[in-house]
Amino acid sequence: GQNIDQPTEMTATEGAIVQINCTYQTSGFNGLFWYQQHAGEAPTFLSYNVLDGLEEKGRFSSFLSRSKGYSYLLLKELQMKDSASYLCAAMDSNYQLIWGAGTKLIIKP
Amino acid sequence: TAGITQAPTSQILAAGRSMTLRCTQDMRHNAMYWYRQDLGLGLRLIHYSNTAGTTGKGEVPDGYSVSRANTDDFPLTLASAVPSQTSVYFCASSDSTSGDTDTQYFGPGTRLTVL
């Protein structure tokens, strides 16, 4: 079957760095997406990886290892506004997104 | 830029009643999607449409129907609502269904409660 695993909840301190991990098993693979979702709001696109390696975009970076079925989202210089859920989603061979349940990130001052 | 709009924002519905959730996008995207989001679960695909005039079933299609008469609109209908359909419903769209333009963009959601 197809499956996405990510931690349910993480806590970090303002100004620090946090890494949110995601492992995936899909029928075929056409890329890995990360979305941010604030409480009561819609998911918003953060990053897309289809090749192995690190993609950096400001304070946020995303890493992919296709051979390990593994990705992580790295958030640097954490701000209170980064408190949100982070959703990992893998695109399968039919170009359908398989979604993880999300990681709720709590930022403490 | 409006992007994707959904209506209503929220609704309380009696079990057995029908309802249509509306979704409109102004980005001229080819593909559109309906998801439901429940606590502790990932987004689950209900129905999708790769282009106007075509639709397909997702992971949880039972009890729902869709139509795609034109590029902009993708309504979701519950023919006879049941309490298990209580959820937050998100509509999304993408420019294509393959390649690097398949990033999905979401509407603000409809919170539906079926009593």
Side-chain angles (χ1 to χ4, degrees), chain A residues 21 42 84 108:
Chain A
N21 296 324
K108 295 187 174 180

Side-chain angles (χ1 to χ4, degrees), chain B residues 16-105:
Chain B
R17 300 295 295 270
S18 66
M19 178 169 185
T20 296
L21 280 60
R22 300 185 298 278
C23 175
T24 299
Q25 53 107 355
D26 65 2
M27 298 177 283
R28 307 302 293 173
H29 282 173
N30 288 312
M32 297 187 74
Y33 313 84
W34 273 107
Y35 290 96
R36 60 177 290 171
Q37 187 175 41
D38 302 291
L39 197 63
L41 299 176
L43 287 160
R44 292 183 291 170
L45 184 65
I46 304 170
H47 284 287
Y48 65 93
S49 169
N50 287 336
T51 189
T54 69
T55 62
K57 294 181 179 181
E59 179 187 357
V60 289
D62 293 344
Y64 306 95
S65 63
V66 292
S67 61
R68 186 88 184 277
N70 57 61
T71 296
D72 299 343
D73 301 300
F74 191 43
L76 176 74
T77 298
L78 288 68
S80 179
V82 295
S84 61
Q85 292 178 309
T86 293
S87 188
V88 180
Y89 291 85
F90 287 104
C91 179
S93 72
S94 64
D95 193 23
S96 75
T97 58
S98 63
D100 59 7
T101 55
D102 48 16
T103 298
Q104 294 183 19
Y105 298 92

Side-chain angles (χ1 to χ4, degrees), chain A:
Chain A
Q2 305 199 102
N3 191 54
I4 305 287
D5 284 317
Q6 55 181 129
T8 303
E9 187 175 295
M10 298 181 71
T11 302
T13 304
E14 189 177 17
I17 299 173
V18 71
Q19 177 175 312
I20 302 173
N21 296 324
C22 170
T23 58
Y24 63 89
Q25 288 179 302
T26 54
S27 302
F29 179 75
N30 283 296
L32 193 291
F33 292 79
W34 285 96
Y35 281 75
Q36 181 189 60
Q37 186 177 24
H38 285 101
E41 298 183 7
T44 56
F45 171 73
L46 287 177
S47 68
Y48 170 69
N49 295 66
V50 68
L51 301 176
D52 285 355
L54 187 68
E55 296 272 348
E56 297 186 73
K57 196 183 291 186
R59 294 189 299 113
F60 292 9
S61 302
S62 56
F63 172 83
L64 176 67
S65 168
R66 293 177 65 136
S67 63
K68 295 182 180 179
Y70 167 70
S71 174
Y72 67 73
L73 181 70
L74 191 71
L75 291 73
K76 302 177 185 176
E77 301 169 14
L78 286 169
Q79 301 175 10
M80 297 305 292
K81 67 178 182 179
D82 298 329
S83 292
S85 288
Y86 291 86
L87 313 182
C88 174
M91 184 164 278
D92 69 11
S93 58
N94 294 318
Y95 296 96
Q96 301 284 359
L97 281 178
I98 310 302
W99 294 84
T103 298
K104 182 178 181 180
L105 178 63
I106 299 168
I107 310 296
K108 295 187 174 180

